[in-house]
Amino acid sequence: MAFVRDKIIESLSLAIASIGESANHPNQVPFSMELSAPRAAQHGDYATNVAMTLTRVLKRNPRQIAEQIVARFEDPHGIIEKMEIAGPGFINFFVKPRAWVGILHEILSDPLHYGRQNLGLGRRVQVEFVSANPTGPLHIGHGRGAATGDVLASLLSACGYRVDREYYINDAGNQMNTLGASLYYRYQELFDESMEFPQGHYQGEYMKDLAREFFEEFGERYRKVPLEEVLPAFSRYTGERILKGIQEDLNDFGIRFDNWFSEQGLHDAGVIEKTLEELREKGYIYEHEGATWFRSTDFGDEKDRVVIRANGISTYFAADLAYHKNKFFRNYDLLVDIWGADHHGYVDRMLAGIQAMGRKREDLQIVLVQLVNLLRGGKPVAMSTRAGEFVTLREVVNEVGKDAARYIFLTRRSDSPLDFDLDLAKTQSNDNPVFYVQYAHARLCRVFEVGQERGFSFQWSPRQMEECMQRLTLPQERMLLKMLGEYPATLASSARSLEPHQIPYYLHELVSSFHSYYNQNRILGDDTQLSKARLCLAAAVKQVIANALGLLGVDAPHRM
RNA sequence: GCGCCCGUAGCUCAGCUGGAUAGAGCAACGGACUUCUAAUCCGUAGGCCCGGGGUUCGAAUCCCUGCGGGCGCGCCA
């Protein structure tokens, strides 16, 4: 993969292993291999602190260990100019300038594949996200969760996991009846404006729209028909219509799910009872004060949780237990749940649940996504779900576009609240991070257009390599090559920590270096051979930008 | 009251499984378009990493504590 970086890690591992053997550590010395790219040039192109992390195991001082590592370090590919031991025990690697060019071959010989890797070893992962109740349109907060889940899924897929995207539909329980009744009342209101809309129902504007559509379809057929007679039909109708709207919203946001999983299906199939029965056999279920409880405290939850209420109706949590059991039954090795941060109180009980089923805690990773504060021109936009006045995902996407919305959602760690300024997101200026990156791509595309007009035929061949080694000598060029080489490691790190925001940060850095290079140097000049070599570099930069934007679900435009 | 998350430049945030001189964008100030797209670039300025203890060769990062902010604490979904 990343040419230079991987070679160094490989050689380091071998060197350390051989020290381990001679020091009577027959198995590999446990260590965390970190290879950083220091900012300061005097610290080399790469640096590692392994010698210091090994002090405890080897019981020697770090500089001694570093010397041993350096002594045993082999460089079969001849990529290292020199190694230095510095400070308390860092080993700094200075890479031969020409070694960087290898990265061009990595990228250009198989462009679409560059960055993809087999970290996941083909293990199956399910990413469950959005899963908003089908009681109203998606709002902007759901949009953040949607972008996060979608990109995590793409990322894991690029890293060698087999990934499915799933949406859990909470279509069971009383809320569907409330939903149906809400439509019913809005519908009756069309005939009798004095009718009072009862409390505790969904009073959003979308419900009035739906009532009007319903009227257009069915006319006065259900006017003054008692609620009890038509409630199931109204509920079904409303649920289906709203779900369809959600699906359209997500579709236009660039998101496709592999599976839509119905909670009601769990009830119908009796899996909830079955799940509880299995847990009971293992001793995790007991009766208390008329209710049925799950002993989640056995696994670190702060208190036990009710699964069947005294009135005989099972709780949402019971369904969620059955749901996660079902997920594992479908043979996923790893589950990733994307939840709103307001659900963090449920994390412990869910983890307890899967452990009671015999799974490891790590088999379920829960990513919490914090709130989105919507601003317009720096001022907060009032949002209140209860009053039904919220800004929908659709409105935001219509206003600022899919690309800007997705990019902004992803430029922050998910557990940090996000300010989303509508005015900022749609200004076509340098305030807007997504344009900065897209602009670089469009610029590069233009270079190739002009190059073609001037008769530079660009095609990558290994023969070009030698040419590039001789011509791409500027520090900025080497820097760009190095950064291109860091792309796979960025994806790996991002996937391991389930932090998609690392990708936009990487992109920004890469693009910034490119813009700077572009402003100071001509890619297409009088020197034909130099121009060709620079075109190779440009092609690689363009490719990595396109690949990264592709993962983010953001377009890489050819013109702006 | 208890639990979780957060506190880093004027603003918005990276960096947090301990590593070398703490970074970026915006805002401010000064510069660069006859050239492949100025939606760009170059430069300047900006810091008690909330306070206080501790752990060690080394702390923005880990532990304790105080302060400040957000969220959650149902036999709701």
Side-chain angles (χ1 to χ4, degrees), chain A residues 398-413:
Chain A
N398 287 347
E399 187 169 339
V400 311
K402 168 194 71 124
D403 287 346
R406 288 184 75 119
Y407 200 90
I408 290 170
F409 282 141
L410 295 165
T411 41
R412 216 123 283 165
R413 322 168 41 101

Side-chain angles (χ1 to χ4, degrees), chain A residues 95-110:
Chain A
V95 175
K96 282 185 185 161
R98 48 187 294 139
W100 296 116
V101 178
I103 203 64
L104 289 180
H105 186 68
E106 295 276 324
I107 298 168
L108 297 175
S109 61
D110 191 3

Side-chain angles (χ1 to χ4, degrees), chain A residues 455-521:
Chain A
F456 290 101
S457 62
F458 171 78
Q459 207 175 5
W460 174 255
S461 67
R463 206 163 48 83
Q464 274 289 341
M465 254 299 256
E466 195 54 38
E467 204 66 51
C468 287
M469 284 192 193
Q470 285 171 32
R471 313 274 171 177
L472 298 178
T473 55
L474 296 175
Q476 274 186 314
E477 290 167 337
R478 297 210 279 266
M479 167 70 78
L480 275 169
L481 289 167
K482 182 179 171 186
M483 291 180 77
L484 292 171
E486 290 297 301
Y487 178 60
T490 303
L491 295 191
S493 159
S494 189
R496 255 192 283 264
S497 53
L498 300 175
E499 289 179 348
H501 75 275
Q502 292 185 22
I503 301 171
Y505 276 89
Y506 168 82
L507 257 181
H508 190 273
E509 210 179 328
L510 174 68
V511 161
S512 162
S513 293
F514 164 71
H515 278 311
S516 174
Y517 173 68
Y518 178 94
N519 270 275
Q520 286 167 48
N521 304 96

Side-chain angles (χ1 to χ4, degrees), chain A residues 160-215:
Chain A
Y161 291 86
R162 290 161 59 204
V163 183
D164 288 321
R165 295 167 166 82
E166 184 156 304
Y167 187 116
Y168 180 58
I169 312 165
N170 299 130
D171 53 0
N174 205 37
Q175 66 172 352
M176 297 315 287
N177 288 332
T178 310
L179 189 69
S182 303
L183 177 68
Y184 175 88
Y185 291 121
R186 286 302 187 206
Y187 173 71
Q188 301 304 335
E189 257 178 11
L190 296 174
F191 312 111
D192 178 6
E193 283 180 19
S194 68
M195 255 203 63
E196 210 170 292
F197 191 79
Q199 294 221 329
H201 286 65
Y202 299 100
Q203 49 186 322
E205 202 60 36
Y206 62 92
M207 203 52 91
K208 293 183 187 170
D209 297 340
L210 204 54
R212 275 187 286 272
E213 284 175 38
F214 185 88
F215 173 72

Side-chain angles (χ1 to χ4, degrees), chain A residues 9-20:
Chain A
I9 288 186
E10 203 180 300
S11 296
L12 264 176
S13 306
L14 290 173
I16 290 166
S18 93
I19 291 174

